[in-house]
Amino acid sequence: MADALLVLIVLVNLSLLGGRRIAGCIGRVAVQGLAVSVCALVAERAPHPGRLLLLAALGVAVKGLLVPWLLRRAMKTAEVVEETRPPVGFTASTVIGLALLGVAFVVAGRLPAVDPGLPPLMLPVAFTTMLSGLLLVIVRKTALLQVIGYLMMENGIFMAGIALVSGIPWLVELGVLLDAATAVLVMSAVIGHISRVFDHVDMDRLRNLQG
């Protein structure tokens, strides 16, 4: 089951890199958040099933429900529907994402072996999710898509922690979820304010403002 979830996460990475419509990208990052939460439940090595069930439930609530709701509200406030004329095209972004997947496998192969009980794809998928999120932040102009890129990076960091650290402390796991929800809440409010003041959320146009 874990391998199927990891493959799903990779496919979501590629579809997000090639995604144009904001609503579709929000739905995909919600699916990725759900997959990461369930994958943590399947792959975690700590002998505390009750704690893992609670963390998985919190992950589903935050990543699969709260964060997508905040993003959809920000999308309606900003009245933005899709990305137009990005610096790097959608097809090119997907191709770069495939290249990053190869880089992630090379990097993961040079690290010390993780617990043999973990799926071998866990660490490479974590790295490619972080790199894909960073790429999305760099090559997209719409603020909402950059927020989605940040969420992808957070998902990758969470997975890397599972793969590299045995039994992540309870407070650290809760802190990651809280940080993600808080960051999206703040960024959604900022996006709404930018939209009301400037009538757009195009980051390139905001950089060109003279003050």
Side-chain angles (χ1 to χ4, degrees):
M1 180 179 178
D3 287 339
L5 291 172
L6 292 170
V7 171
L8 174 62
I9 291 169
V10 172
L11 293 176
V12 171
N13 287 339
L14 297 176
S15 66
L16 283 168
L17 289 173
R20 177 190 299 269
R21 298 189 62 82
I22 306 295
C25 289
I26 292 173
R28 292 180 198 121
V29 81
V31 169
Q32 185 179 79
L34 292 172
V36 168
S37 300
V38 177
C39 194
L41 177 63
V42 172
E44 176 63 70
R45 290 159 285 177
H48 302 291
R51 188 194 76 170
L52 297 180
L53 285 172
L54 177 58
L55 285 173
L58 288 173
V60 168
V62 173
K63 296 174 181 288
L65 299 176
L66 176 61
V67 168
W69 178 77
L70 291 172
L71 291 174
R72 290 190 181 97
R73 190 178 67 172
M75 181 185 70
K76 292 178 180 178
T77 301
E79 297 181 349
V80 57
V81 177
E82 64 180 31
E83 173 84 357
T84 58
R85 299 189 301 277
V88 179
F90 302 104
T91 301
S93 297
T94 305
V95 173
I96 295 173
L98 289 170
L100 292 176
L101 179 60
V103 171
F105 271 94
V106 172
V107 172
R110 295 178 179 273
L111 294 176
V114 296
D115 192 315
L118 284 175
L121 293 177
M122 175 72 77
L123 198 54
V125 171
F127 286 158
T128 192
T129 302
M130 285 188 281
L131 293 172
S132 297
L134 178 61
L135 177 63
L136 198 68
V137 171
I138 294 172
V139 304
R140 294 293 176 261
K141 299 187 299 180
T142 304
L144 272 169
L145 282 176
Q146 293 180 352
V147 174
I148 290 173
Y150 163 81
L151 290 171
M152 292 170 65
M153 293 174 63
E154 187 275 329
N155 286 335
I157 292 169
F158 188 78
M159 293 173 62
I162 294 170
L164 294 174
V165 182
S166 179
I168 304 175
W170 167 263
L171 291 178
V172 174
E173 293 172 321
L174 290 179
V176 170
L177 291 174
L178 180 60
D179 285 347
T182 303
V184 173
L185 178 61
V186 171
M187 287 185 283
S188 298
V190 170
I191 289 171
H193 181 69
I194 291 173
S195 176
R196 287 191 296 272
V197 174
F198 297 104
D199 295 325
H200 66 81
V201 288
D202 189 316
M203 302 310 294
D204 278 353
R205 292 170 63 186
L206 292 175
R207 292 189 191 101
N208 292 331
L209 291 174
Q210 299 294 324

